[in-house]
Amino acid sequence: MTIPFFIEDPITWKKIEVPYDIVQYCDMTTIDADREDLRYIDCVWMHMGYYGTPPHIMKAVREEHFNAPPVRPVFK
């Protein structure tokens, strides 16, 4: 069970629930940002489609990120 995460809609300023895959992606890609930081909020808004990119495109970006093979360093 996951704890729901809510954010303000940038148009209406109403609280909306963020889908878990977006929360997970933004947690992984904005490692040193808290969930209240603008960089994290920007990641969420972008992946929810508020900046003009269709949500299905951003979903494909997240799926590609989660399904990418692990990076293994050549040198230690």
Side-chain angles (χ1 to χ4, degrees), residues 13-44:
W13 298 109
K14 293 180 182 178
K15 294 282 186 181
I16 54 172
E17 187 172 353
V18 179
Y20 180 69
D21 64 322
I22 294 176
V23 173
Q24 188 178 20
Y25 177 83
C26 291
D27 282 347
M28 292 174 60
T29 58
T30 58
I31 296 170
D32 59 339
D34 293 328
R35 287 185 175 176
E36 295 82 26
D37 289 347
L38 181 57
R39 199 173 56 172
Y40 188 90
I41 294 168
D42 184 57
C43 177
V44 170

Side-chain angles (χ1 to χ4, degrees), residues 7-16:
I7 196 165
E8 292 177 339
D9 182 299
I11 298 168
T12 64
W13 298 109
K14 293 180 182 178
K15 294 282 186 181
I16 54 172

